[in-house]
Amino acid sequence: MSDAALRARKVEALTEEEAQAELAALAAEIAHHDALYHRHDAPEISDADYDALVRRNRAIEARFPELIREDSPSRRVGAETAEGFAKARHAVPMLSLDNAFDEDDFRDFCARIRRFLGLPAEETLAFVGEPKIDGLSVNLTYENGAFVRGATRGDGTEGEDVTRNLLTLAELPRRLPGPFPARIEIRGEVFCEKADFLAFRAAQVQAAEEREARRARGEKVGPAITIPVNPRNFAAGSLRQLDPAVSAQRPLKLFAYAMGDASEPVADTHAAWLDRLRGWGFRVNPVSELLAEEEAAVGFQRRMAEARAALSYDIDGVVYKLNRLDWQRRLGFVGRAPRWAIAWKFPAEQATTRLLDIEIQVGRTGALTPRAVMEPVGVGGVMVTHASLHNEDEIARKDVRIGDTVILQRAGDVIPQILGIVPEKRPEGAQPFAFPTTCPACGSHAVRPEGEVVRRCTGGLTCPAQTVERLIHFARRNAMDIEGLGIENVQTLFDAGLVKSPADIFRLKDHVATMRGWEGWGERKIGKLLEAIEARRRVPLERFVFALGIRRIGEANAKLLARHYHSYAEWREKMLAATVIGSEAREELGSIQGIGPAIATELAEFFVEPHNRAALDDLAREVTPEDAEVAAADSPFAGKTIVFTGTLQTMTRDEAEAQAERLGAKVTKSVSKKTDFVVVGAEAGSKATKAAELGVRTLTEAEWREMSGLA
Ligand code: IVH
C-alpha cells in the first residue's frame, strides 16, 4: 500500500506491518519538511499540515510503542546547522514543544502529568502561561556572569554559533549582576516586531522593484533582493547573517524564558526563575502570568486570543509550563518534547484569493506533487502566494480549478492550505484540472498503481528531478555528511554534467579546471569541497546504506541492517540473494527485528534493478563502508530489553519506563526469550511467571533502583 493510501486509514485499523511502513514514511517526510523550514527558511507546507503529520506519527507511536524508530520525528528537533557558522553544542539539548489545539488537548496534558507523577485528581497544578512568539530560539551561555556564547537551536543538540550577531542586540545582558551560578545556559526567543518587519519588507519590495526596472532598461544590477515572508523568517535570516554588521542593522528583540544547563540550582519554581532572569537584566515577556490552577489557563488562553491583535509582535499560541521545577525534573522528556510544558495554539486564520496555476513538483522517489500558485494575499499579516494541494485526489475531491477563488487557511506559517473553493465565484468555462500523466521533469510516464494516491515518474535515475533529490539526500548531514554539497551546489554540478551519480562526486577532483571557470567557485571553495569529499572515502556502513536513499530505509533501518549484516560485502551479497522471493536470504531479511517483510520488499526492489546495482558498485569502488561495531555499554541497561510488571511503589510505571530509556534500554510490554530483565512490582501476574519459565533475570524494585543509580 502506498504512503498516501496508508495515511487515509484509521490508526486503530493499521496492522503492525503497515504501522511500521507508515512510521518510516513519516520519519522521512517530516525530516524533509524540518530541513526546509529550519535549514533553508523555506517551508513548503503549512504549519497545520506539518502538525497533522506530527500528530499522525504520535498517534501511531502511541499505539505501537515498540515500533518507535531511532530517527522518529518525536525524538528529533529542528534541522541541521547551516554552512558558514561554527558549530556549538548545547550542554542540555534544546527541545521542542508538543501542541494542544483545544481545551480537551490541554486537559489531557494535565491528566498525563497527574498520571505520570501519580498525583490525586484534587492536587492543583500551577502553570506559568507565556505568549508563544514564533521567532528563533537561542541558547545563551554565561560563565562567571559573563556572556560567552550564543547559539541557535540547530538540530537540538548542536546549533550555529551566532555569538557575534547576538552581541548586536541591545537587549542582551553582557554581564549578569550577582549572585549567579558559575555556569548557566539561558534560553529565549529572538524575534522582530510586526511594525519593524512590515517596514523592512516594504523597503525590500521597493528595492526589488527598482532593481527590476533597471534590469528591464538593460542596466547593470546587483544580486537579487530577498523579501522576507514573515517575521520569523526575517528574524532567522537576520540573526544568521554571516556579517554581524548586517545583523546590527536589523531590529531584533529578545525575550528570555527558559533554563538549560546550570552549575547549581537557581530557583524552585518557573515563576521564581523568570524573576531571576528579570533581576539579571533580561527582558521577560510582561504578559506572562502565574496561573494557580489548570482552570485558570482556559481563561488566560481566551484573554490572550483577544489581546493578540493589539500586541506589537505576532504570537501563535500560549506556552504553559508547570510551575514546580521539581515536578518538571521528574517528568523529564518524551522524544523531543518536555512532559511538563505544552504550546496551546490559536485557531488558524483564513482568507480568499484566486488560483492562478497548479504546478507539479517531482520528489526524490518520483512522486508528483501539485502546488497551487495564487494571487498574493495577506493571511494573518503574511503575504502568501503558494499552497500545497497534496495529490491528485485532493484536487478532484475539492474540485479545485484554475481561475477559482479559493479559501486559504494559515496556521502560523508561510505555506497555507486550501480548504475549499467559493463555487459562486467560478469563472465561466473553468475546466477540471487534468493531472499530468507524464513527468514534467523528464517526460517519462507517470503512473499511479491501483489503490495508490501518489502518481510517480517511472524515469528512476534517468529523471533529473529524482537524481538531484537523491544526490542532495546522499550528501546531507546525517547521510554521507559532505560539507558544502547542499541543494544549490548539487544542482550546479548536475546541470554542468559533472555529477550524475553518487560516485561522480568522488571523481570531482578530476574536474577542478572546469569548476574554476564558474562564478563564485573560487580556489578556496573548491579546495574545501574536495577536502570534505575526500574525508568521506571511509564511512560507517549504516551511513552508507542510509545515503543510498532507498525508499523506507531511514537512519534507523539503515542502522538495523548495518548491525545485522556487519560488513558491506555481506550486506550486498545477502541483498542480492534476497531479491528471490522465498529465498533463505529474503526470510532472514524480513525477520530482522524492526525490518519486516514490507521493507524487505522495498530493498529487494532496489537490488533487482540493474542500474541501481551498477550505481552501487561504482560507488563502492570510490568509498569504503566501514564494518558496523557493536554498541558499547555504559550502563547496566544499555542496549538491553526490559519489561516492567506489577505496581511499583516509588514511581509510576511511566516514570520507570522513561528512566530505563534514558539509560539506553529498550522497553517492551511482553516477556520473550529476547528480554534481558523483568522488573517485578507488587501483584505481578503472568509476566513474572513467564520470566521464570524462560529463565529471564528478574529484579525487585529496589534492585532496579540500585542498578539504575536511583537508590
Ligand atoms: S520553552 C523545552 N517558551 O517554541 C522548552 N518556547 O515549539 C522549550 N517558543 O523552540 C521552549 N515562545 O522557539 C518556550 N515562552 C516560550 C516560547 C517558546 C516561543 C518557541 C521556541 C521553541 C518552540 C517550541
Side-chain angles (χ1 to χ4, degrees), residues 77 93-99 129-138 153 187-189 232 255-259 270 285 288 316 318-319 321 333 336-338 340-341 343 345:
V77 196
M94 288 182 81
L95 296 140
S96 178
L97 291 169
D98 275 339
N99 293 328
E130 301 170 3
K132 183 168 188 297
I133 300 181
D134 202 11
L136 186 72
S137 50
V138 289
R153 182 168 75 168
R187 271 106 197 242
E189 198 83 354
R232 180 200 181 273
F255 274 137
Y257 55 59
M259 188 184 347
H270 185 67
N285 198 324
S288 301
D316 59 355
V318 179
V319 183
K321 301 176 182 172
F333 294 82
R336 63 173 188 168
W340 43 265
K345 297 280 195 79

mmCIF file of all heavy atoms in Angstrom, residues 77 93-99 129-138 153 187-189 232 255-259 270 285 288 316 318-319 321 333 336-338 340-341 343 345, ligand 1:
data_model
loop_
_atom_site.group_PDB
_atom_site.id
_atom_site.type_symbol
_atom_site.label_atom_id
_atom_site.label_comp_id
_atom_site.label_asym_id
_atom_site.label_seq_id
_atom_site.Cartn_x
_atom_site.Cartn_y
_atom_site.Cartn_z
ATOM 1 N N VAL A 77 14.629 17.218 16.826
ATOM 2 C CA VAL A 77 14.158 18.599 16.792
ATOM 3 C C VAL A 77 14.806 19.338 15.647
ATOM 4 O O VAL A 77 15.993 19.173 15.400
ATOM 5 C CB VAL A 77 14.583 19.364 18.055
ATOM 6 C CG1 VAL A 77 13.789 20.623 18.211
ATOM 7 C CG2 VAL A 77 14.504 18.512 19.267
ATOM 8 N N PRO A 93 20.213 19.496 25.716
ATOM 9 C CA PRO A 93 19.572 19.662 24.409
ATOM 10 C C PRO A 93 18.461 20.714 24.418
ATOM 11 O O PRO A 93 17.804 20.917 25.430
ATOM 12 C CB PRO A 93 18.990 18.283 24.112
ATOM 13 C CG PRO A 93 19.668 17.347 25.019
ATOM 14 C CD PRO A 93 20.172 18.113 26.186
ATOM 15 N N MET A 94 18.276 21.375 23.279
ATOM 16 C CA MET A 94 17.193 22.361 23.141
ATOM 17 C C MET A 94 16.042 21.656 22.454
ATOM 18 O O MET A 94 16.173 21.228 21.314
ATOM 19 C CB MET A 94 17.643 23.522 22.284
ATOM 20 C CG MET A 94 18.626 24.408 22.982
ATOM 21 S SD MET A 94 19.080 25.789 21.943
ATOM 22 C CE MET A 94 17.714 26.903 22.189
ATOM 23 N N LEU A 95 14.940 21.549 23.172
ATOM 24 C CA LEU A 95 13.874 20.737 22.624
ATOM 25 C C LEU A 95 12.726 21.569 22.101
ATOM 26 O O LEU A 95 12.766 22.782 22.082
ATOM 27 C CB LEU A 95 13.430 19.729 23.667
ATOM 28 C CG LEU A 95 14.630 18.817 23.927
ATOM 29 C CD1 LEU A 95 14.748 18.490 25.369
ATOM 30 C CD2 LEU A 95 14.577 17.580 23.073
ATOM 31 N N SER A 96 11.741 20.845 21.696
ATOM 32 C CA SER A 96 10.594 21.462 21.080
ATOM 33 C C SER A 96 9.396 21.289 22.012
ATOM 34 O O SER A 96 9.556 20.788 23.114
ATOM 35 C CB SER A 96 10.426 20.732 19.769
ATOM 36 O OG SER A 96 9.333 21.190 19.102
ATOM 37 N N LEU A 97 8.227 21.676 21.579
ATOM 38 C CA LEU A 97 7.049 21.542 22.430
ATOM 39 C C LEU A 97 5.957 20.778 21.703
ATOM 40 O O LEU A 97 5.800 20.917 20.498
ATOM 41 C CB LEU A 97 6.496 22.932 22.774
ATOM 42 C CG LEU A 97 7.330 23.807 23.688
ATOM 43 C CD1 LEU A 97 6.760 25.218 23.702
ATOM 44 C CD2 LEU A 97 7.346 23.248 25.098
ATOM 45 N N ASP A 98 5.197 20.016 22.454
ATOM 46 C CA ASP A 98 4.010 19.397 21.881
ATOM 47 C C ASP A 98 2.921 20.461 21.800
ATOM 48 O O ASP A 98 2.957 21.434 22.540
ATOM 49 C CB ASP A 98 3.527 18.245 22.767
ATOM 50 C CG ASP A 98 4.260 16.965 22.439
ATOM 51 O OD1 ASP A 98 4.811 16.874 21.327
ATOM 52 O OD2 ASP A 98 4.298 16.061 23.294
ATOM 53 N N ASN A 99 1.960 20.243 20.920
ATOM 54 C CA ASN A 99 0.898 21.221 20.746
ATOM 55 C C ASN A 99 -0.427 20.749 21.320
ATOM 56 O O ASN A 99 -0.722 19.564 21.310
ATOM 57 C CB ASN A 99 0.666 21.469 19.254
ATOM 58 C CG ASN A 99 1.858 22.153 18.632
ATOM 59 O OD1 ASN A 99 2.546 22.932 19.287
ATOM 60 N ND2 ASN A 99 2.115 21.858 17.377
ATOM 61 N N GLY A 129 1.772 30.831 32.150
ATOM 62 C CA GLY A 129 1.372 30.982 30.750
ATOM 63 C C GLY A 129 2.223 32.070 30.120
ATOM 64 O O GLY A 129 2.339 33.155 30.678
ATOM 65 N N GLU A 130 2.845 31.751 28.973
ATOM 66 C CA GLU A 130 3.686 32.741 28.277
ATOM 67 C C GLU A 130 3.289 32.769 26.809
ATOM 68 O O GLU A 130 3.139 31.714 26.196
ATOM 69 C CB GLU A 130 5.168 32.319 28.332
ATOM 70 C CG GLU A 130 5.717 32.167 29.721
ATOM 71 C CD GLU A 130 7.112 31.510 29.723
ATOM 72 O OE1 GLU A 130 7.662 31.225 28.639
ATOM 73 O OE2 GLU A 130 7.627 31.286 30.816
ATOM 74 N N PRO A 131 3.132 33.958 26.239
ATOM 75 C CA PRO A 131 2.792 34.021 24.815
ATOM 76 C C PRO A 131 3.847 33.275 24.002
ATOM 77 O O PRO A 131 5.033 33.341 24.321
ATOM 78 C CB PRO A 131 2.840 35.506 24.496
ATOM 79 C CG PRO A 131 2.714 36.191 25.793
ATOM 80 C CD PRO A 131 3.296 35.285 26.827
ATOM 81 N N LYS A 132 3.413 32.551 22.996
ATOM 82 C CA LYS A 132 4.371 31.829 22.154
ATOM 83 C C LYS A 132 4.662 32.672 20.923
ATOM 84 O O LYS A 132 3.825 32.827 20.047
ATOM 85 C CB LYS A 132 3.803 30.472 21.741
ATOM 86 C CG LYS A 132 4.791 29.662 20.919
ATOM 87 C CD LYS A 132 4.333 28.237 20.761
ATOM 88 C CE LYS A 132 5.384 27.352 20.120
ATOM 89 N NZ LYS A 132 5.744 27.736 18.760
ATOM 90 N N ILE A 133 5.859 33.211 20.907
ATOM 91 C CA ILE A 133 6.266 34.049 19.785
ATOM 92 C C ILE A 133 6.945 33.155 18.771
ATOM 93 O O ILE A 133 7.776 32.320 19.128
ATOM 94 C CB ILE A 133 7.267 35.121 20.248
ATOM 95 C CG1 ILE A 133 6.604 35.995 21.298
ATOM 96 C CG2 ILE A 133 7.751 35.948 19.068
ATOM 97 C CD1 ILE A 133 7.487 37.089 21.803
ATOM 98 N N ASP A 134 6.586 33.330 17.528
ATOM 99 C CA ASP A 134 7.212 32.490 16.518
ATOM 100 C C ASP A 134 8.474 33.182 16.022
ATOM 101 O O ASP A 134 8.473 33.880 15.029
ATOM 102 C CB ASP A 134 6.230 32.254 15.374
ATOM 103 C CG ASP A 134 6.588 31.008 14.607
ATOM 104 O OD1 ASP A 134 7.443 30.243 15.094
ATOM 105 O OD2 ASP A 134 6.026 30.800 13.527
ATOM 106 N N GLY A 135 9.540 33.011 16.774
ATOM 107 C CA GLY A 135 10.815 33.603 16.384
ATOM 108 C C GLY A 135 11.836 32.506 16.216
ATOM 109 O O GLY A 135 11.552 31.467 15.642
ATOM 110 N N LEU A 136 13.012 32.742 16.779
ATOM 111 C CA LEU A 136 14.103 31.803 16.629
ATOM 112 C C LEU A 136 14.673 31.580 18.028
ATOM 113 O O LEU A 136 15.036 32.547 18.701
ATOM 114 C CB LEU A 136 15.150 32.490 15.753
ATOM 115 C CG LEU A 136 16.336 31.704 15.302
ATOM 116 C CD1 LEU A 136 15.885 30.712 14.247
ATOM 117 C CD2 LEU A 136 17.364 32.647 14.691
ATOM 118 N N SER A 137 14.697 30.328 18.494
ATOM 119 C CA SER A 137 15.174 30.159 19.861
ATOM 120 C C SER A 137 16.703 30.154 19.899
ATOM 121 O O SER A 137 17.358 29.667 18.978
ATOM 122 C CB SER A 137 14.596 28.907 20.508
ATOM 123 O OG SER A 137 14.765 27.809 19.668
ATOM 124 N N VAL A 138 17.231 30.735 20.969
ATOM 125 C CA VAL A 138 18.685 30.807 21.113
ATOM 126 C C VAL A 138 19.092 30.312 22.498
ATOM 127 O O VAL A 138 18.303 30.337 23.437
ATOM 128 C CB VAL A 138 19.223 32.249 20.922
ATOM 129 C CG1 VAL A 138 19.114 32.674 19.467
ATOM 130 C CG2 VAL A 138 18.519 33.237 21.828
ATOM 131 N N ARG A 153 19.236 26.991 17.807
ATOM 132 C CA ARG A 153 18.856 25.660 18.243
ATOM 133 C C ARG A 153 19.465 24.557 17.364
ATOM 134 O O ARG A 153 19.826 23.497 17.856
ATOM 135 C CB ARG A 153 17.327 25.542 18.221
ATOM 136 C CG ARG A 153 16.862 24.205 18.714
ATOM 137 C CD ARG A 153 15.381 24.196 18.953
ATOM 138 N NE ARG A 153 14.631 24.137 17.719
ATOM 139 C CZ ARG A 153 13.317 23.882 17.659
ATOM 140 N NH1 ARG A 153 12.651 23.703 18.783
ATOM 141 N NH2 ARG A 153 12.685 23.839 16.526
ATOM 142 N N ARG A 187 17.807 30.303 27.878
ATOM 143 C CA ARG A 187 17.177 30.185 26.572
ATOM 144 C C ARG A 187 16.126 31.262 26.349
ATOM 145 O O ARG A 187 15.436 31.662 27.286
ATOM 146 C CB ARG A 187 16.501 28.827 26.410
ATOM 147 C CG ARG A 187 17.462 27.803 25.844
ATOM 148 C CD ARG A 187 17.894 26.857 26.911
ATOM 149 N NE ARG A 187 19.086 26.108 26.560
ATOM 150 C CZ ARG A 187 19.134 24.778 26.443
ATOM 151 N NH1 ARG A 187 18.069 24.068 26.634
ATOM 152 N NH2 ARG A 187 20.263 24.188 26.146
ATOM 153 N N GLY A 188 15.995 31.694 25.139
ATOM 154 C CA GLY A 188 14.991 32.703 24.835
ATOM 155 C C GLY A 188 14.703 32.750 23.359
ATOM 156 O O GLY A 188 15.202 31.933 22.593
ATOM 157 N N GLU A 189 13.861 33.688 22.994
ATOM 158 C CA GLU A 189 13.408 33.790 21.612
ATOM 159 C C GLU A 189 13.870 35.118 21.026
ATOM 160 O O GLU A 189 13.632 36.174 21.605
ATOM 161 C CB GLU A 189 11.872 33.719 21.605
ATOM 162 C CG GLU A 189 11.280 33.393 20.287
ATOM 163 C CD GLU A 189 11.264 31.882 20.012
ATOM 164 O OE1 GLU A 189 11.831 31.102 20.820
ATOM 165 O OE2 GLU A 189 10.705 31.494 18.977
ATOM 166 N N ARG A 232 9.134 35.603 11.493
ATOM 167 C CA ARG A 232 10.047 34.556 11.935
ATOM 168 C C ARG A 232 11.187 34.369 10.941
ATOM 169 O O ARG A 232 12.354 34.310 11.291
ATOM 170 C CB ARG A 232 9.288 33.236 12.073
ATOM 171 C CG ARG A 232 10.215 32.153 12.518
ATOM 172 C CD ARG A 232 9.787 30.754 12.270
ATOM 173 N NE ARG A 232 10.819 29.898 12.808
ATOM 174 C CZ ARG A 232 11.878 29.516 12.153
ATOM 175 N NH1 ARG A 232 12.066 29.877 10.908
ATOM 176 N NH2 ARG A 232 12.794 28.781 12.734
ATOM 177 N N PHE A 255 13.311 37.880 24.130
ATOM 178 C CA PHE A 255 12.644 37.562 25.390
ATOM 179 C C PHE A 255 13.314 36.317 25.952
ATOM 180 O O PHE A 255 13.476 35.330 25.225
ATOM 181 C CB PHE A 255 11.158 37.232 25.181
ATOM 182 C CG PHE A 255 10.243 38.426 25.156
ATOM 183 C CD1 PHE A 255 9.241 38.515 24.211
ATOM 184 C CD2 PHE A 255 10.373 39.434 26.099
ATOM 185 C CE1 PHE A 255 8.377 39.608 24.196
ATOM 186 C CE2 PHE A 255 9.508 40.531 26.084
ATOM 187 C CZ PHE A 255 8.518 40.617 25.128
ATOM 188 N N ALA A 256 13.677 36.320 27.238
ATOM 189 C CA ALA A 256 14.256 35.123 27.845
ATOM 190 C C ALA A 256 13.140 34.341 28.512
ATOM 191 O O ALA A 256 12.206 34.940 29.066
ATOM 192 C CB ALA A 256 15.305 35.529 28.864
ATOM 193 N N TYR A 257 13.189 33.003 28.462
ATOM 194 C CA TYR A 257 12.088 32.232 29.054
ATOM 195 C C TYR A 257 12.433 30.856 29.619
ATOM 196 O O TYR A 257 11.566 30.174 30.153
ATOM 197 C CB TYR A 257 10.932 32.086 28.075
ATOM 198 C CG TYR A 257 11.298 31.497 26.723
ATOM 199 C CD1 TYR A 257 11.867 30.247 26.611
ATOM 200 C CD2 TYR A 257 11.047 32.209 25.553
ATOM 201 C CE1 TYR A 257 12.193 29.714 25.377
ATOM 202 C CE2 TYR A 257 11.367 31.676 24.316
ATOM 203 C CZ TYR A 257 11.943 30.426 24.231
ATOM 204 O OH TYR A 257 12.269 29.909 23.023
ATOM 205 N N ALA A 258 13.641 30.374 29.434
ATOM 206 C CA ALA A 258 13.890 29.012 29.917
ATOM 207 C C ALA A 258 15.346 28.837 30.348
ATOM 208 O O ALA A 258 16.199 29.670 30.076
ATOM 209 C CB ALA A 258 13.532 27.985 28.852
ATOM 210 N N MET A 259 15.580 27.722 31.039
ATOM 211 C CA MET A 259 16.918 27.425 31.545
ATOM 212 C C MET A 259 17.438 26.172 30.858
ATOM 213 O O MET A 259 16.689 25.237 30.631
ATOM 214 C CB MET A 259 16.800 27.166 33.036
ATOM 215 C CG MET A 259 18.128 27.026 33.733
ATOM 216 S SD MET A 259 17.978 26.611 35.493
ATOM 217 C CE MET A 259 16.302 26.875 35.914
ATOM 218 N N HIS A 270 9.116 27.938 38.214
ATOM 219 C CA HIS A 270 9.376 28.651 36.965
ATOM 220 C C HIS A 270 9.175 30.152 37.160
ATOM 221 O O HIS A 270 9.936 30.963 36.640
ATOM 222 C CB HIS A 270 8.467 28.105 35.862
ATOM 223 C CG HIS A 270 8.755 28.692 34.521
ATOM 224 N ND1 HIS A 270 9.937 28.456 33.846
ATOM 225 C CD2 HIS A 270 8.052 29.555 33.736
ATOM 226 C CE1 HIS A 270 9.938 29.129 32.705
ATOM 227 N NE2 HIS A 270 8.806 29.798 32.620
ATOM 228 N N ASN A 285 8.844 38.384 28.989
ATOM 229 C CA ASN A 285 7.564 38.859 28.481
ATOM 230 C C ASN A 285 6.634 39.299 29.619
ATOM 231 O O ASN A 285 6.259 38.495 30.472
ATOM 232 C CB ASN A 285 6.898 37.768 27.646
ATOM 233 C CG ASN A 285 5.818 38.348 26.763
ATOM 234 O OD1 ASN A 285 5.129 39.277 27.172
ATOM 235 N ND2 ASN A 285 5.691 37.820 25.563
ATOM 236 N N SER A 288 3.331 37.441 30.558
ATOM 237 C CA SER A 288 3.345 36.117 31.199
ATOM 238 C C SER A 288 2.630 36.181 32.544
ATOM 239 O O SER A 288 2.693 37.197 33.233
ATOM 240 C CB SER A 288 4.780 35.648 31.437
ATOM 241 O OG SER A 288 5.449 35.580 30.218
ATOM 242 N N ASP A 316 1.442 32.853 18.114
ATOM 243 C CA ASP A 316 0.556 31.848 17.521
ATOM 244 C C ASP A 316 -0.063 30.934 18.572
ATOM 245 O O ASP A 316 -0.661 29.924 18.247
ATOM 246 C CB ASP A 316 1.270 31.049 16.426
ATOM 247 C CG ASP A 316 2.501 30.319 16.921
ATOM 248 O OD1 ASP A 316 2.858 30.502 18.094
ATOM 249 O OD2 ASP A 316 3.103 29.561 16.141
ATOM 250 N N VAL A 318 -0.107 30.045 23.219
ATOM 251 C CA VAL A 318 0.440 30.292 24.557
ATOM 252 C C VAL A 318 1.192 29.035 25.001
ATOM 253 O O VAL A 318 0.711 27.923 24.770
ATOM 254 C CB VAL A 318 -0.680 30.609 25.570
ATOM 255 C CG1 VAL A 318 -0.118 30.851 26.966
ATOM 256 C CG2 VAL A 318 -1.506 31.805 25.116
ATOM 257 N N VAL A 319 2.361 29.216 25.623
ATOM 258 C CA VAL A 319 3.089 28.077 26.176
ATOM 259 C C VAL A 319 2.745 27.989 27.663
ATOM 260 O O VAL A 319 2.845 28.984 28.382
ATOM 261 C CB VAL A 319 4.619 28.246 26.028
ATOM 262 C CG1 VAL A 319 5.340 27.006 26.549
ATOM 263 C CG2 VAL A 319 5.002 28.512 24.580
ATOM 264 N N LYS A 321 3.738 26.210 31.174
ATOM 265 C CA LYS A 321 4.810 25.451 31.802
ATOM 266 C C LYS A 321 4.441 25.176 33.254
ATOM 267 O O LYS A 321 4.050 26.110 33.970
ATOM 268 C CB LYS A 321 6.110 26.253 31.762
ATOM 269 C CG LYS A 321 6.527 26.609 30.351
ATOM 270 C CD LYS A 321 7.767 27.475 30.340
ATOM 271 C CE LYS A 321 8.095 27.841 28.907
ATOM 272 N NZ LYS A 321 9.178 28.835 28.817
ATOM 273 N N PHE A 333 11.466 14.307 29.683
ATOM 274 C CA PHE A 333 11.099 14.492 28.288
ATOM 275 C C PHE A 333 10.639 13.197 27.672
ATOM 276 O O PHE A 333 11.051 12.128 28.077
ATOM 277 C CB PHE A 333 12.320 14.990 27.512
ATOM 278 C CG PHE A 333 12.739 16.355 27.965
ATOM 279 C CD1 PHE A 333 13.524 16.519 29.093
ATOM 280 C CD2 PHE A 333 12.316 17.470 27.276
ATOM 281 C CE1 PHE A 333 13.884 17.784 29.527
ATOM 282 C CE2 PHE A 333 12.666 18.730 27.701
ATOM 283 C CZ PHE A 333 13.451 18.895 28.829
ATOM 284 N N ARG A 336 11.106 14.481 21.684
ATOM 285 C CA ARG A 336 11.714 15.800 21.546
ATOM 286 C C ARG A 336 11.032 16.857 22.393
ATOM 287 O O ARG A 336 11.353 18.022 22.325
ATOM 288 C CB ARG A 336 11.676 16.224 20.083
ATOM 289 C CG ARG A 336 10.269 16.378 19.555
ATOM 290 C CD ARG A 336 10.306 16.961 18.164
ATOM 291 N NE ARG A 336 8.967 17.279 17.736
ATOM 292 C CZ ARG A 336 8.682 18.003 16.675
ATOM 293 N NH1 ARG A 336 9.642 18.481 15.943
ATOM 294 N NH2 ARG A 336 7.455 18.256 16.346
ATOM 295 N N ALA A 337 10.037 16.471 23.197
ATOM 296 C CA ALA A 337 9.285 17.490 23.919
ATOM 297 C C ALA A 337 9.195 17.179 25.404
ATOM 298 O O ALA A 337 9.165 16.021 25.800
ATOM 299 C CB ALA A 337 7.891 17.606 23.322
ATOM 300 N N PRO A 338 9.150 18.239 26.233
ATOM 301 C CA PRO A 338 9.009 18.001 27.668
ATOM 302 C C PRO A 338 7.593 17.527 28.002
ATOM 303 O O PRO A 338 6.654 17.881 27.300
ATOM 304 C CB PRO A 338 9.247 19.383 28.277
ATOM 305 C CG PRO A 338 8.922 20.356 27.207
ATOM 306 C CD PRO A 338 9.208 19.668 25.905
ATOM 307 N N TRP A 340 6.285 18.450 30.721
ATOM 308 C CA TRP A 340 5.777 19.447 31.660
ATOM 309 C C TRP A 340 5.362 20.750 30.999
ATOM 310 O O TRP A 340 5.039 21.724 31.677
ATOM 311 C CB TRP A 340 6.823 19.726 32.734
ATOM 312 C CG TRP A 340 8.231 19.849 32.209
ATOM 313 C CD1 TRP A 340 9.165 18.860 32.152
ATOM 314 C CD2 TRP A 340 8.851 21.014 31.634
ATOM 315 N NE1 TRP A 340 10.326 19.337 31.581
ATOM 316 C CE2 TRP A 340 10.166 20.655 31.264
ATOM 317 C CE3 TRP A 340 8.428 22.326 31.411
ATOM 318 C CZ2 TRP A 340 11.058 21.551 30.665
ATOM 319 C CZ3 TRP A 340 9.312 23.228 30.824
ATOM 320 C CH2 TRP A 340 10.611 22.824 30.462
ATOM 321 N N ALA A 341 5.429 20.830 29.692
ATOM 322 C CA ALA A 341 5.019 22.064 29.012
ATOM 323 C C ALA A 341 4.276 21.720 27.737
ATOM 324 O O ALA A 341 4.461 20.650 27.167
ATOM 325 C CB ALA A 341 6.243 22.920 28.679
ATOM 326 N N ALA A 343 2.385 23.787 24.085
ATOM 327 C CA ALA A 343 2.047 25.008 23.343
ATOM 328 C C ALA A 343 0.607 24.873 22.880
ATOM 329 O O ALA A 343 0.301 24.023 22.058
ATOM 330 C CB ALA A 343 2.975 25.177 22.148
ATOM 331 N N LYS A 345 -2.065 26.196 20.770
ATOM 332 C CA LYS A 345 -2.091 27.069 19.592
ATOM 333 C C LYS A 345 -3.454 27.715 19.388
ATOM 334 O O LYS A 345 -4.478 27.125 19.706
ATOM 335 C CB LYS A 345 -1.760 26.245 18.336
ATOM 336 C CG LYS A 345 -0.366 25.622 18.319
ATOM 337 C CD LYS A 345 0.653 26.644 17.925
ATOM 338 C CE LYS A 345 1.980 26.028 17.531
ATOM 339 N NZ LYS A 345 2.013 25.477 16.204
HETATM 340 S S1 IVH B 1 10.008 26.873 26.025
HETATM 341 C C1 IVH B 1 11.552 22.666 26.484
HETATM 342 N N1 IVH B 1 8.756 29.159 25.933
HETATM 343 O O1 IVH B 1 8.537 27.484 20.637
HETATM 344 C C2 IVH B 1 11.071 24.063 26.395
HETATM 345 N N2 IVH B 1 9.385 28.172 23.870
HETATM 346 O O2 IVH B 1 7.779 24.765 19.818
HETATM 347 C C3 IVH B 1 11.066 24.583 25.008
HETATM 348 N N3 IVH B 1 8.801 29.486 21.891
HETATM 349 O O3 IVH B 1 11.765 26.187 20.203
HETATM 350 C C4 IVH B 1 10.911 26.002 24.806
HETATM 351 N N4 IVH B 1 7.852 31.147 22.955
HETATM 352 O O4 IVH B 1 11.364 28.677 19.724
HETATM 353 C C5 IVH B 1 9.315 28.176 25.202
HETATM 354 N N5 IVH B 1 7.647 31.190 26.011
HETATM 355 C C6 IVH B 1 8.209 30.221 25.309
HETATM 356 C C7 IVH B 1 8.266 30.258 23.888
HETATM 357 C C8 IVH B 1 8.863 29.202 23.207
HETATM 358 C C9 IVH B 1 8.182 30.668 21.763
HETATM 359 C C10 IVH B 1 9.278 28.666 20.758
HETATM 360 C C11 IVH B 1 10.714 28.232 20.881
HETATM 361 C C12 IVH B 1 10.682 26.732 20.870
HETATM 362 C C13 IVH B 1 9.387 26.468 20.187
HETATM 363 C C14 IVH B 1 8.854 25.114 20.580
#
